[in-house]
Amino acid sequence: MTVKIAVLVSGRGSNLQAIIDSIEKGHINNARISVVISNKADAYALERARKYGIDAVFLDPAGHDRAGYDREILNILAEHDTDLLLLAGYFRLLGSEIIEAYRHRVLNIHPSLLPAFKGLHAQRQAFEYGVKVAGCTVHFVDEGLDSGPIILQSCVPVLPGDTEETLTARILEQEHIIYPEAVRLFVEGKLKVEGRNVIALD
Ligand code: GRF
């Protein structure tokens, strides 16, 4: 059975690209991205999707309240028979309707070692706090902000001479490794959620 993946994006889409590449290279088997949805018309992620023949949809938030917007998303997900929903640089909060409909089937990547530095500009928060180790987290999405059960994390050192930009780049490299890896584990049915704990049966 092929796992059908939908991806929500708002911008550049480098994590989307990393997942596309993993599927193309056969690191993730039995999965395909069936649709990419953006809340921004000019998101480069939409172009990346089109290049691979993936349905790329700009869904304009104007004129919708949040629940209405999320219902539009749910319709698109249903049309594409979606099994797994990925947030990849999607800068909007997801409403509870989607989360309930896709419980333990929505993943997000966050550029900090959660539960530290939730929310926007996580790398800047870490840098300004003066941590010596930073990193990124792939987690299931629940109703809270960056609070769902953690699937994978990767850490990087904060080096003397780093700026927010160099640290962000070092974290991003790790994002591109652990997000596709988490997707692979999901697709292979290897993730078991027990309360807050996610067990990877690999
Ligand atoms: C990444 O840093 C991700 O962790 C965060 O938003 C950024 C998206 O980058 N949620 P991209 O659009 O995947 O290049």
Side-chain angles (χ1 to χ4, degrees), residues 9-17 45 48 87-91 108-112 119 123 136-137 146 168 171-172 175-176 179:
V9 297
S10 298
R12 178 179 60 180
S14 69
N15 278 288
L16 167 69
Q17 187 69 55
R48 295 188 196 259
L87 311 188
Y90 180 62
F91 296 115
N108 181 42
I109 177 96
H110 183 75
S112 80
Q123 305 95 327
C136 49
T137 304
D146 300 321
T168 297
I171 293 170
L172 191 64
E175 295 184 36
H176 297 162
Y179 209 1

Side-chain angles (χ1 to χ4, degrees), residues 4-202:
K4 289 176 279 312
I5 302 173
V7 188
L8 288 175
V9 297
S10 298
R12 178 179 60 180
S14 69
N15 278 288
L16 167 69
Q17 187 69 55
I19 292 159
I20 292 174
D21 291 346
S22 288
I23 293 173
E24 294 274 311
K25 287 183 190 147
H27 298 159
I28 301 172
N29 289 301
N30 303 323
R32 74 181 163 80
I33 300 177
S34 42
V35 64
V36 172
I37 306 167
S38 172
N39 63 324
K40 299 276 183 210
D42 59 355
Y44 184 57
L46 289 174
E47 274 185 47
R48 295 188 196 259
R50 287 189 196 107
K51 234 172 77 187
Y52 292 86
I54 299 168
D55 258 4
V57 180
F58 162 54
L59 192 55
D60 195 346
H64 291 285
D65 60 10
R66 196 169 85 193
Y69 189 77
D70 281 3
R71 268 194 295 280
E72 295 290 321
I73 294 179
L74 274 172
N75 288 340
I76 298 174
L77 298 183
E79 276 164 26
H80 286 82
D81 214 3
T82 301
D83 302 303
L84 169 64
L85 176 60
L86 304 178
L87 311 188
Y90 180 62
F91 296 115
R92 268 176 80 96
L93 279 178
L94 216 54
S96 55
E97 241 184 285
I98 297 183
I99 295 164
E100 268 163 34
Y102 287 86
R103 178 77 59 197
H104 295 156
R105 293 193 292 152
V106 187
L107 271 53
N108 181 42
I109 177 96
H110 183 75
S112 80
L113 293 173
L114 290 172
F117 310 123
K118 295 178 176 180
L120 290 174
H121 308 300
Q123 305 95 327
R124 183 184 309 163
Q125 293 182 53
F127 186 71
E128 288 179 353
Y129 199 89
V131 296
K132 301 298 180 206
V133 175
C136 49
T137 304
V138 181
H139 62 94
F140 284 109
V141 174
D142 67 7
E143 281 78 0
L145 174 67
D146 300 321
S147 63
I150 290 171
I151 300 169
L152 292 176
Q153 293 187 300
S154 180
C155 46
V156 300
V158 181
L159 300 173
D162 261 344
T163 60
E164 184 192 331
E165 288 68 34
T166 57
L167 179 61
T168 297
R170 194 173 303 125
I171 293 170
L172 191 64
E173 260 179 49
Q174 295 303 308
E175 295 184 36
H176 297 162
I177 296 169
I178 65 168
Y179 209 1
E181 177 62 4
V183 172
R184 181 185 72 78
L185 290 168
F186 181 98
V187 166
E188 293 180 3
K190 289 185 173 150
L191 297 178
K192 203 165 136 225
V193 188
E194 287 181 358
R196 278 217 57 86
N197 286 301
V198 180
I199 297 152
L201 309 162
D202 210 17

